[in-house]
Amino acid sequence: MLYPRHIEPRLTEALEDSPVVLIHGPRQCGKTTLAQMVCAPMYLKQHGTDSRQSQTNAPRAIRTSGYHYIDFDDSTVSKTAKKDPMGFVAALPERVILDEVQRVPEIFSALKIQVDRKRTPGLFVMTGSANVLQIPKLTDSLAGRMQIIRLYPLSQCELEDQSCPRFLDTLFGDGFRIETTERLGTNLFERIAAGGYPAALARPSERRQIAWYRDYLHQLQTDILDFSRISMPDSLPQLLESCAAQTAGLFNLSSLASSFQLSRPAIGGYVRLLETSFLIERLLPWQNNRQSRLVKTPKLHIGDTGLACALLGVNAAGLEVDRPLLGQLLETFVFHELRRQAACRDDFMSFYHYRDRDRAEVDIVIERGTMEVAGVEVKASGTVTMADFRGLRRLRDAVGSRRFKGGVVLYDGEVSVGFGKGFYAVPLRMLWEKN
């Protein structure tokens, strides 16, 4: 099934003025499908969303409507490019999709030369399953020539085939009206456990989705070994499982390293590899130069809640029983939904968390530009009290009333209602439903 991707207009715009456009994000999040959907729709129509799997014995460059397509997951293709990068790039067609470019960093300098010879917008569309900002050869070679687009797994509004909701506009705007809706209930647990990977969601049952995630983890381990030589590769799945168990908590490297026969610096390197592969993310603390009592430790979030549930061996029914784990995963679920919605907006938003030495905290702090700040607290329960706004009130005081635009407690309830000026309790489903 093809899902609408709200980032598509950003890709179309970038192709109109940038010689190189890179779509990067975790493996299997839909990068190839998006590139083909925009640049080679007829090819995608003929081969479907599993088009990469149908090319094992295909020629090096596959002609599409407008763009050729080259897959560096094909070992023959990647070996050829590594052996003679200048010759390989010189022989490329006029417009081409280069899939999984992190496998062949040797071609980046050759691409720069080709781009400088012909500064035509949309020459190369590249996809990558590793964060290129941490691949110096790529960023140095194509600085000023490349537009980078981050693609995430599917958001809930994309899954519902809806336009991007107005939640963030309302949060930074006039606030939320009094409205009534239905609780998500067990559907919330199902959404968290399913995650956002298109191929997993295509599976017909929860059991088959879990099997997909297990295969996915095995492939990821192989991928990481392709671009990094590490001493104990078998430690990566265990480390990722530890990260899943600690998601939405303060990042503690010593705690992560305690169960491994590796040094703390070595585990730190492994953590950076997981970040480079978009499997985990550190959420930085919100800072204010006038506030000395703020905790400066980042939070840790695993990249997708479906992946986390597979790692921890828990399904939707298990989340309903394990309320502490539900709270952690729900916070991660909301954080990623907001990030995915923000990615398709024209205005720039930065994400943080807030925590002070009195343990007042806000799960997600959002800065719009440099002057506006809002906060989002997440609760798994069906009720909200004034005490749930303690951290948000602290954030408002730290930010200042002129910059603070609003604070929301998201909960699995039925009523959107105000809790004083600028503060609201909002049902979780309103995060992605039209409002």
Side-chain angles (χ1 to χ4, degrees), residues 148-159:
I148 299 175
I149 293 174
R150 171 71 189 271
L151 187 67
Y152 296 87
L154 292 162
S155 66
Q156 296 303 302
C157 42
E158 287 171 332
L159 284 169

Side-chain angles (χ1 to χ4, degrees), residues 285-288 290-291 294 352-356 360-367 372-377 389-401 403-408 423:
W286 184 83
Q287 296 291 311
N288 186 328
R290 299 188 302 272
Q291 300 287 326
L294 298 181
Y352 307 93
H353 78 95
Y354 174 94
R355 185 181 177 99
D356 63 27
E361 57 184 312
V362 178
D363 296 328
I364 304 161
V365 178
I366 310 169
E367 281 192 348
E372 297 180 331
V373 178
V376 177
E377 185 71 11
F389 290 85
R390 175 174 176 253
L392 289 165
R393 292 194 296 270
R394 286 287 188 92
L395 175 65
R396 178 198 59 192
D397 295 343
V399 169
S401 57
R403 292 183 63 203
F404 185 76
K405 296 303 176 181
V408 164
F423 296 108

Side-chain angles (χ1 to χ4, degrees), residues 20 60 68 83 89 136 253 263 297 348 384:
V20 182
R60 181 176 65 85
H68 287 72
K83 184 177 180 180
V89 171
L253 183 58
S263 67
T297 306
F348 180 74
V384 176

Side-chain angles (χ1 to χ4, degrees), residues 151-183:
L151 187 67
Y152 296 87
L154 292 162
S155 66
Q156 296 303 302
C157 42
E158 287 171 332
L159 284 169
E160 298 290 332
D161 197 9
Q162 296 178 354
S163 59
C164 205
R166 293 185 51 80
F167 179 87
L168 288 167
D169 287 323
T170 307
L171 176 61
F172 281 91
D174 296 331
F176 297 84
R177 302 186 305 270
I178 296 177
E179 292 186 69
T180 302
T181 186
E182 295 181 6
R183 292 183 64 242

